């Protein structure tokens, strides 16, 4: 099991770095929005405040390192670089799937990141479908204890599991199991997609059973059916190709989910590349914005490379806030300067 898991995770990293893993036509939808420039913002750039709360922890930025990897030998280096940079820049950090942590002790060091990131929020991650394959609150508590995580996010990835050679495809009766888990764990439980988005009615069902935050992870970025296409059978490769443009665009998912959130935390991710992208998502209702593949290559190099990229994203966000007259994140969320472009 350990070698198979290591090989799969290592393949995922290389495929995402080296292959075409996005759709050809589907986009995030962010190109359909633009800010109305404010020529006289009546602000000092130095006074712009990007602080934001992730659940009960304060962050210097509204940025999140999206769940990417864990359980492979190289993942330990990648995650260490991400954790060190996130701690310095004040980003929240979401781990890759921690299933490997339970199934093989050999991979636990790739998830032991609290020593590199003592103050920022760390979010452990597990496939929701694993609740149908032997994982219970006990295993989740072990994950939380080992990672010293502030929250647990359950990812949902139905298409990936079908195409993946080792996929687990029994998604039946998960809602009641998620509800039970929410009541049994001492940390908040969230839900994230992996690149196909979440609709409003699904979000409402999840929020009604006790989910504390939602990451829409919309379409327009990495498609995990396209990732798995490179390591599956010929039949599944052909089927995966038919889903290259599948999913709810990131902007559409945000618009569908936001009305149901009330005071719950809403995270935007899926194909985001710049601080301007982040600003648009916040103006569409997101509290936090996640970056994944956009910083993966830097994470293979060094913590300093990640740090520099994070610094650029933060400057871009602050510039967008300055040019819209938004002194803080709340003001940006409430701005009326984001406009849909007439097509």
């Amino acid at each position: 099991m350990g070698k198979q898991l290591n090989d799969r995770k290592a393949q995922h990293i290389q495929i995402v770095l080296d292959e075409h893993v996005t759709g050809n036509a589907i986009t995030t939808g962010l190109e359909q929005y633009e800010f109305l420039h404010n020529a006289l913002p009546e602000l000092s750039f130095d006074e712009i405040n990007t602080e934001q709360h992730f659940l009960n922890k304060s962050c210097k930025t509204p940025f999140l390192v999206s769940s990417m990897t864990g359980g492979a030998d190289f993942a330990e280096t990648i995650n260490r670089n991400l954790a060190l940079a996130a701690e310095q820049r004040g980003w929240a950090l979401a781990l890759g799937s921690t299933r490997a942590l339970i199934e093989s002790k050999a991979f636990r060091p790739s998830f032991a990141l609290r020593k590199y990131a003592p103050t920022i929020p760390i979010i452990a991650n597990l496939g929701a479908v694993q609740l149908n394959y032997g994982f219970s609150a006990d295993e989740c508590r072990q994950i939380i204890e080992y990672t010293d995580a502030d929250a647990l996010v359950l990812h949902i990835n139905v298409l990936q599991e079908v195409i993946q050679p080792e996929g687990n495809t029994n998604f039946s009766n998960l809602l009641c199991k998620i509800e039970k888990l929410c009541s049994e764990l001492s940390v908040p439980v969230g839900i994230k997609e992996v690149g196909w988005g979440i609709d409003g009615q699904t979000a409402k069902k999840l929020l009604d059973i006790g989910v504390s935050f939602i990451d829409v992870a919309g379409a327009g970025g990495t498609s995990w059916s396209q990732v798995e296409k490179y390591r599956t059978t010929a039949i599944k490769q052909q089927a995966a190709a038919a889903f290259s443009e599948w999913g709810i665009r990131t902007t559409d998912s945000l618009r569908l989910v936001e009305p149901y959130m009330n005071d719950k935390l809403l995270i935007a991710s899926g194909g985001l590349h710049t601080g301007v992208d982040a600003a648009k998502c916040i103006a569409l209702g997101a509290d936090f914005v996640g970056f994944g593949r956009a910083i993966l290559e830097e994470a293979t190099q060094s913590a300093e490379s990640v740090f520099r990229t994070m610094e650029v994203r933060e400057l871009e966000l602050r510039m967008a806030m300055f040019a819209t007259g938004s002194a803080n994140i709340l003001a940006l969320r409430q701005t009326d300067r984001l406009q849909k472009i007439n097509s």
Side-chain angles (χ1 to χ4, degrees):
M1 173 65 74
K3 184 180 185 305
Q4 182 186 32
L5 190 60
N6 179 76
D7 291 347
R8 182 167 86 241
K9 298 300 182 181
Q11 288 169 0
H12 284 163
I13 295 169
Q14 288 305 132
I15 290 168
V16 170
L17 286 171
D18 299 338
E19 305 291 349
H20 180 69
V21 293
T22 61
N24 296 313
I26 195 166
T27 68
T28 62
L30 288 166
E31 76 286 348
Q32 298 175 10
Y33 291 85
E34 65 182 11
F35 283 108
L36 182 67
H37 176 64
N38 186 344
L40 188 62
E42 295 284 358
L43 287 174
S44 167
F45 185 70
D46 293 337
E47 294 173 358
I48 291 173
N49 183 358
T50 61
E51 290 181 5
Q52 180 68 308
H53 280 82
F54 190 97
L55 303 173
N56 294 320
K57 277 198 171 182
S58 178
C59 293
K60 296 176 186 175
T61 73
F63 290 147
L64 169 79
V65 176
S66 291
S67 303
M68 279 189 273
T69 189
D73 295 335
F74 193 30
E76 186 173 351
T77 299
I78 291 172
N79 285 344
R80 181 175 65 249
N81 290 339
L82 290 170
L84 287 167
E87 174 68 22
Q88 290 184 67
R89 298 306 312 176
W91 290 38
L93 175 65
L95 306 178
S97 174
T98 51
R99 172 184 170 188
L101 184 159
I102 297 296
E103 295 183 350
S104 176
K105 292 183 179 179
F107 300 129
R108 290 187 175 183
S110 69
F111 298 104
L113 302 178
R114 183 55 83 184
K115 58 181 175 286
Y116 305 120
T119 68
I120 60 173
I122 291 180
I123 303 96
N125 172 26
L126 180 69
V129 74
Q130 296 309 315
L131 300 179
N132 278 341
Y133 289 86
F135 277 70
S136 68
D138 288 339
E139 285 75 20
C140 292
R141 289 190 192 98
Q142 291 178 49
I143 289 168
I144 297 299
E145 181 179 0
Y146 191 82
T147 59
D148 193 17
D150 300 286
L152 174 70
V153 68
L154 301 173
H155 68 261
I156 43 181
N157 59 336
V158 293
L159 294 179
Q160 180 186 7
E161 295 290 354
V162 173
I163 300 299
Q164 186 180 101
E166 314 86 353
N168 299 134
T169 56
N170 178 15
F171 277 75
S172 61
N173 301 313
L174 279 179
L175 201 64
C176 62
K177 292 179 181 178
I178 295 170
E179 181 176 23
K180 186 171 183 287
L181 187 65
C182 289
S183 67
E184 291 177 335
L185 292 187
S186 60
V187 299
V189 176
I191 294 288
K192 78 179 298 291
E193 239 288 347
V194 301
W196 290 290
I198 295 176
D199 66 278
Q201 290 303 311
T202 300
K204 184 179 186 303
K205 290 178 183 177
L206 292 164
L207 294 165
D208 286 347
I209 62 165
V211 164
S212 296
F213 60 97
I214 288 179
D215 183 342
V216 298
T222 302
S223 168
W224 279 91
S225 59
Q226 303 315 295
V227 174
E228 298 294 356
K229 180 180 70 176
Y230 290 96
R231 49 184 305 276
T232 194
T233 65
I235 293 293
K236 288 188 175 182
Q237 284 177 5
Q238 292 182 55
F243 288 85
S244 63
E245 313 305 316
W246 188 273
I248 307 170
R249 298 170 189 264
T250 298
T251 52
D252 291 339
S253 193
L254 281 173
R255 289 192 303 103
L256 292 169
V257 170
E258 193 276 333
Y260 297 100
M261 295 304 296
N262 296 319
D263 294 327
K264 300 292 180 68
L265 191 77
L266 178 58
I267 303 169
S269 68
L272 277 61
H273 293 281
T274 70
V276 179
D277 290 343
K280 290 179 180 179
C281 287
I282 292 169
L284 285 169
D287 300 292
F288 265 76
V289 176
F291 291 92
R293 187 165 58 94
I295 55 174
L296 178 58
E297 185 173 353
E298 289 85 349
T300 67
Q301 299 166 3
S302 67
E304 290 73 22
S305 293
V306 181
F307 182 97
R308 287 194 296 271
T309 298
M310 288 178 166
E311 197 170 14
V312 174
R313 299 293 86 82
E314 292 167 28
L315 177 57
E316 291 165 347
L317 173 64
R318 294 182 72 229
M319 290 173 67
M321 293 172 68
F322 192 40
T324 56
S326 305
N328 51 48
I329 299 302
L330 179 60
L332 181 59
R333 282 188 96 240
Q334 296 175 342
T335 186
D336 59 1
R337 287 185 170 270
L338 186 68
Q339 301 181 332
K340 188 82 177 284
I341 301 171
N342 293 325
S343 55

